[in-house]
Amino acid sequence: MATLYIIGTPIGNLEDITLRALRILKEVDVVLCEDTRVTKRLLSKYEITTLTMSYHAQSKLAKVDKILALLEEGKNLALVSDAGTPCISDPGSLLLAQVREKFGDEVALVPIPGPSAIITALSSAGISVAEFTFLGFLPHKKGRETLFKEIAQSERVMVFYESTHRILKALESLEKFCGPEREIIVARELTKIYEEFARGTVAGVQAHFAKKADRVRGEFVVIVEGKQDHKSSKGE
Ligand code: SAM
């Protein structure tokens, strides 16, 4: 029976990889990558010479037939994305769905846990995160306003991913819908040289990022405290 391992890889610092992940990456027949150039940087750091193949091209699933054929031959494969945990705001789910559809339980899907930006950010947010809602990337147009209205009304911590190009716009929307006083945490460039946590009110964090153009570069996780938490932290 073939196995498809779903492996979490670093979100910046290449040392953030488990011993088990390294062993499996060495042992499998092929590593399925989002972008082979990105994964090869990780593999070469650990002198892993396993064959790589891209499963993702121009935002679409690629080489599915080839991948299914490899599994049919009994080959063991590893699925990775460019960073973090595959299938979490990343490609991979469609491929897994096709594997399940064709093979059912004949191919084992085995998770090899590793970093994920959302959990990394929440772990050091410094607020109670016993419960939270993860929104992935926010829509650019349709549904965006409704979602921000939901965030504004939510008593639960809300978390979303944001890119360099859209972080300021996201902060503007938070100011518009939640008000300048809502408490947020913006985690930037986690595990990398310029890692930072900007904590405070929406207005305060906006001012922080407005001070230096450099600060809006990189990758971001935005954590919005619940409406209730915000009130109680202000003694209301
Ligand atoms: N699968 C990944 C995971 O498990 O975290 C997420 C991939 S998603 C395509 C990329 C987004 O994740 C970025 O736009 C950013 O919001 C977040 N992200 C990834 N790496 C990050 C990092 N080092 N610091 C902060 N956010 C990060």
Side-chain angles (χ1 to χ4, degrees):
M1 179 162 136
T3 300
L4 175 56
Y5 297 95
I6 296 91
I7 302 187
T9 57
I11 55 169
N13 189 322
L14 293 187
E15 289 180 3
D16 293 332
I17 182 125
T18 68
L19 296 174
R20 187 174 176 218
L22 290 175
R23 177 175 60 77
I24 304 282
L25 286 167
K26 262 184 212 142
E27 286 175 3
V28 290
D29 296 295
V30 181
V31 180
L32 306 175
C33 312
E34 186 179 351
D35 180 337
T36 51
R37 290 165 301 182
V38 174
T39 302
K40 275 181 180 163
R41 280 202 285 277
L42 174 70
L43 298 184
S44 73
K45 177 173 171 65
Y46 293 101
E47 296 173 3
I48 297 171
T49 53
T50 312
L51 207 67
T52 57
M53 182 196 288
S54 171
Y55 64 91
H56 191 255
Q58 287 151 2
S59 303
K60 282 204 208 105
L61 199 51
K63 303 198 183 122
V64 189
D65 292 344
K66 173 111 183 115
I67 294 166
L68 296 178
L70 287 170
L71 290 168
E72 197 147 31
E73 284 168 29
K75 303 273 195 239
N76 294 325
L77 309 180
L79 174 80
V80 297
S81 61
D82 284 351
T85 300
C87 307
I88 307 299
S89 299
D90 252 347
S93 317
L94 264 181
L95 177 62
L96 296 198
Q98 301 237 14
V99 169
R100 290 203 58 223
E101 191 183 315
K102 183 163 168 74
F103 299 104
D105 292 338
E106 292 299 304
V107 168
L109 302 180
V110 177
I112 309 293
S116 188
I118 175 186
I119 301 301
T120 308
L122 285 169
S123 74
S124 303
I127 57 166
S128 169
V129 291
E131 273 188 44
F132 61 87
T133 300
F134 178 50
L135 303 167
F137 285 105
L138 302 184
H140 293 182
K141 290 198 177 98
K142 196 164 176 276
R144 186 176 167 90
E145 190 168 322
T146 314
L147 207 51
F148 272 102
K149 283 183 182 158
E150 264 177 51
I151 295 173
Q153 289 311 313
S154 174
E155 293 182 1
R156 191 173 272 162
V157 171
M158 301 287 242
V159 191
F160 60 90
Y161 281 165
E162 203 44 276
S163 68
T164 293
H165 312 293
R166 305 194 56 87
I167 185 69
L168 291 179
K169 202 160 172 47
L171 292 175
E172 266 171 38
S173 300
L174 284 175
E175 188 193 15
K176 178 171 168 196
F177 291 97
C178 304
E181 293 302 313
R182 179 68 72 92
E183 296 282 330
I184 61 169
I185 297 128
V186 177
R188 178 170 86 95
E189 292 289 84
L190 291 163
T191 79
K192 304 185 200 176
I193 296 171
Y194 297 107
E195 174 180 276
E196 71 164 330
F197 283 82
R199 299 181 173 88
T201 60
V202 170
V205 171
Q206 274 181 313
H208 169 80
F209 285 117
K211 262 190 205 141
K212 271 194 183 170
D214 278 5
R215 292 183 183 160
V216 288
R217 295 216 181 99
E219 300 189 280
F220 301 83
V221 180
V222 181
I223 301 170
V224 185
E225 286 199 49
K227 202 177 166 193
Q228 215 58 336
D229 291 348
H230 164 64
K231 275 191 180 161
S232 58
S233 72
K234 294 272 163 208
E236 287 168 23

